[in-house]
Amino acid sequence: MRHLISPLDLTEEETTRILDLADRIGTHKEAYAHLAEGKQLATLFYEPSTRTRLSFESAMLSLGGQTLGFAGAEQSSATKGETVADTVRVVSCYADIIAMRHPKEGAPLCASMYATIPVINAGDGGHYHPTQTLIDLLTIRQRKGRLDHLTVGFCGDLKFGRTVHSLVNSLVRYPGNKFYFISPEELRIPDYMIERTLKPSHSTYREVSDLEETLPKLDVLYMTRVQKERFFNEEDYIRLKDTYILNKEKLELAPSDMPVLHPLPRVDEISVDVDSDPRAAYFQQVQNGKYVRMSLILALLEITDPLTGEKVL
């Protein structure tokens, strides 16, 4: 039995197989429509979510399976003091696979230690968001044709941005990738990411504060919102939330084939006038989210791919 807690739980080869399956699902939907009949996905979301929770549910339904779960800690026995360990022990009796989002780092890892069914980390605090990472990798590969020798800019909240941390951890495994980290000082990439990920992989990176100056150098731009829910001080949030706003005028500084990614939801950091630009890739990411999660469910449930006759993991 396998779990997905960190993007590094998958080898590069396994990651490629997951992405390849997601591509096949996107072009041959009917072939995968009934593979999970009789299976149930439990979505245990202890904090709010729109895209991630609904895409997991849509993925399972599109595979012919069923879903159950809750969309907030207040709807669970956590309000009565039940531990994550006990919750997943109980849910393991009802479902075949779990997708868990939790505000505390490490909660899905704890869950995986007690569950008797596969657990997928759907985001834990400011730590990891491995399914979003797979979505980002698939979208970059579709847009650029490769995952290596890219110059990737990350802009916005790099301190609390779990999607940023997860994607950097994956991209450093591919040769030749370079990184620009664009943020105010208060939201810079954490030191532990530099010491544990960037330096050991001998990655080339720069920390900068000027988005306009950096745009012409990038192959990919990854925008993030400043996350109000991660701040203890509302004044700091208000001061920093509009530091970077990508609009059509600024986008003219970027290469014509530079995709703009964003894990969503956005607030003001990408102007709506960017949506019509062919470089806007964030709604493509949303569509890919369904296919990636379908791929992961099949892989972790060890269901054979009907088009290849093989299991993915």
Side-chain angles (χ1 to χ4, degrees):
M1 184 178 68
R2 297 277 299 270
H3 305 286
L4 182 65
I5 307 302
S6 158
L8 302 185
D9 289 342
L10 298 172
T11 66
E12 287 179 58
E13 182 182 352
E14 289 171 337
T15 298
T16 298
R17 292 206 295 266
I18 293 288
L19 300 184
D20 289 346
L21 175 55
D23 269 331
R24 289 195 295 274
I25 290 171
T27 53
H28 302 283
K29 299 178 186 66
E30 286 304 313
Y32 299 89
H34 305 288
L35 293 182
E37 284 184 351
K39 301 291 187 180
Q40 294 181 317
L41 166 74
T43 53
L44 311 184
F45 278 60
Y46 289 80
E47 66 176 4
S49 169
T50 301
R51 274 150 303 280
T52 304
R53 183 175 63 86
L54 292 182
S55 71
F56 264 113
E57 293 179 356
S58 177
M60 192 57 161
L61 294 171
S62 296
L63 291 169
Q66 298 174 308
T67 68
L68 66 157
F70 52 81
E74 69 283 355
Q75 300 173 26
S76 76
S77 289
T79 58
K80 304 174 184 177
E82 183 173 66
T83 64
V84 165
D86 279 0
T87 296
V88 297
R89 283 189 180 109
V90 169
V91 173
S92 293
C93 299
Y94 304 148
D96 300 284
I97 187 169
I98 291 171
M100 173 183 281
R101 169 167 288 188
H102 202 286
K104 292 184 178 179
E105 288 86 350
L109 175 60
C110 174
S112 71
M113 296 174 180
Y114 294 93
T116 57
I117 57 178
V119 174
I120 301 173
N121 178 6
D124 60 331
H127 200 206
Y128 288 128
H129 198 344
T131 61
Q132 183 65 50
T133 299
L134 291 166
I135 294 162
D136 299 338
L137 292 174
L138 180 63
T139 307
I140 292 170
R141 193 175 75 167
Q142 290 172 344
R143 287 295 186 113
K144 303 300 292 185
R146 66 189 192 277
L147 291 172
D148 56 15
H149 296 91
L150 294 168
T151 300
V152 183
F154 293 91
C155 181
D157 180 1
L158 310 187
K159 179 179 181 180
F160 299 112
R162 60 190 170 203
T163 60
V164 171
H165 304 165
S166 283
L167 185 53
V168 171
N169 268 287
S170 284
L171 285 175
V172 297
R173 301 201 289 183
Y174 298 90
N177 286 332
K178 302 176 183 179
F179 306 98
Y180 280 88
F181 297 114
I182 310 157
S183 72
E185 177 64 27
E186 295 92 335
L187 297 176
R188 63 186 290 271
I189 195 81
D191 288 339
Y192 73 81
M193 285 294 299
I194 294 173
E195 297 301 324
R196 299 178 192 174
T197 300
L198 294 162
K199 287 184 178 179
S201 62
H202 305 289
S203 297
T204 300
Y205 71 93
R206 287 192 61 194
E207 295 184 80
V208 298
S209 58
D210 193 318
L211 174 61
E212 290 90 329
E213 183 180 301
T214 308
L215 279 171
K217 306 172 185 177
L218 302 179
D219 295 310
V220 177
L221 174 63
Y222 197 96
M223 293 292 295
T224 67
R225 71 184 172 94
V226 175
Q227 302 176 82
K228 184 177 182 179
E229 65 271 26
R230 308 295 179 205
F231 279 78
F232 296 107
N233 186 324
E234 187 171 2
E235 290 181 1
D236 287 341
Y237 166 73
I238 292 171
R239 177 170 53 85
L240 294 169
K241 69 183 181 72
D242 293 330
T243 303
Y244 301 105
I245 298 176
L246 181 69
N247 55 29
K248 196 168 185 178
E249 180 181 356
K250 291 177 184 175
L251 195 54
E252 293 303 314
L253 301 170
S256 60
D257 62 345
M258 181 203 76
V260 178
L261 278 69
H262 192 304
L264 300 180
R266 67 172 164 185
V267 183
D268 300 316
E269 63 277 0
I270 298 181
S271 173
V272 293
D273 64 11
V274 174
D275 294 354
S276 59
D277 192 289
R279 288 168 287 189
Y282 28 92
F283 293 115
Q284 181 181 348
Q285 286 171 272
V286 174
Q287 184 64 67
N288 282 338
K290 176 179 174 179
Y291 302 144
V292 162
R293 289 169 177 130
M294 289 173 72
S295 177
L296 271 174
I297 290 168
L298 292 176
L300 293 176
L301 290 179
E302 300 182 349
I303 295 174
T304 299
D305 182 347
L307 298 189
T308 65
E310 298 177 349
K311 295 178 180 177
V312 178
L313 297 180

